[in-house]
Amino acid sequence: MMAGAGEDARALFSVGVHAALDAWPALQIAVENGFGGVHSQEKAEWLGGAVVDYFISNADLQLDEVEDFLGELMTNEFDTVVEDGSLPQVSQQLQTMFHHFQRGDEAALREMASHITQKKYKVTATAHRGVRETDEHEDDVDSVEEMEVTDTTDGAATAGVCSQPEPSEPNTQTIKEEDIVEDGWTIVRRKK
């Protein structure tokens, strides 16, 4: 591989890594919510360079090593433990891109980065559309909830909303000691 071609492949690998990280929901949520502090965006940009350097410095990485590295970076830099199942997927994408880089397959690197970027924009557009639909109907949802909560003293329904069945015994939902878990939460069980 010629020196100029190697530089181009490295630049494409870097673009691909940044695209994969930009499309990673766990990282984007951490950045958007400032889990990395006031410099979360800068940390995310640094993370891309750190991942590129990690791959370049370690030519024969296994998938679990990449997962561990990314997980450690997310924990240390963004105080985030990734448990949504996306860590193996992102690690696999990065490892595939690195194999293309090692072979000097610039076309495959371009295609992969382009595919990841397009996929990211489709997901983002869908998420924003769903939020707008929720906002438009927010007043209707609130009024329905208020109607469901409204009840008269004699147990009859108001405004056409059915009342909930009354329990046959006054203390059917007694809390047992084993229903209180260590965090102070109480498990409520329904009687049949």
Side-chain angles (χ1 to χ4, degrees):
M1 172 167 33
M2 296 177 10
E7 298 283 326
D8 290 343
R10 184 181 172 126
L12 284 172
F13 176 60
S14 180
V15 167
V17 167
H18 282 87
L21 295 177
D22 286 347
W24 188 15
L27 177 60
Q28 295 314 308
I29 289 169
V31 170
E32 289 170 10
N33 291 294
F35 295 170
V38 294
H39 300 291
S40 291
Q41 185 63 46
E42 291 83 4
K43 285 184 177 184
E45 292 169 14
W46 167 84
L47 185 74
V51 169
V52 169
D53 292 343
Y54 179 69
F55 273 97
I56 301 295
S57 299
N58 301 290
D60 194 25
L61 291 170
Q62 299 299 315
L63 185 60
D64 61 336
E65 293 173 310
V66 177
E67 287 179 37
D68 291 345
F69 179 72
L70 287 177
E72 187 177 309
L73 286 174
M74 289 296 289
T75 300
N76 293 341
E77 300 301 325
F78 295 98
D79 198 26
T80 302
V81 176
V82 180
E83 294 181 335
D84 65 350
S86 64
L87 198 53
Q89 294 169 346
V90 173
S91 299
Q92 181 64 52
Q93 284 178 334
L94 295 173
Q95 196 169 36
T96 301
M97 279 188 258
F98 186 64
H99 289 301
H100 292 312
F101 164 73
Q102 286 178 316
R103 289 193 315 252
D105 192 350
E106 293 179 18
L109 282 170
R110 274 191 202 92
E111 182 180 331
M112 208 167 166
S114 174
H115 177 73
I116 290 169
T117 303
Q118 288 173 358
K119 187 175 169 182
K120 174 192 173 200
Y121 288 126
K122 286 179 186 175
V123 170
T124 303
T126 303
H128 288 297
R129 187 176 66 238
V131 169
R132 273 191 232 115
E133 289 173 1
T134 303
D135 291 343
E136 290 172 5
H137 301 292
E138 188 173 2
D139 293 335
D140 295 338
V141 172
D142 289 342
S143 64
V144 170
E145 288 176 352
E146 288 172 12
M147 287 175 52
E148 290 175 351
V149 172
T150 305
D151 195 13
T152 61
T153 56
D154 65 355
T158 60
V161 178
C162 297
S163 64
Q164 296 293 323
E166 296 294 321
S168 58
E169 299 175 26
N171 293 330
T172 56
Q173 289 187 350
T174 57
I175 299 172
K176 298 177 186 171
E177 191 169 290
E178 67 264 13
D179 289 344
I180 299 174
V181 292
E182 69 183 67
D183 290 334
W185 290 90
T186 303
I187 299 171
V188 178
R189 291 186 170 83
R190 174 174 273 187
K191 298 279 183 175
K192 292 186 179 183

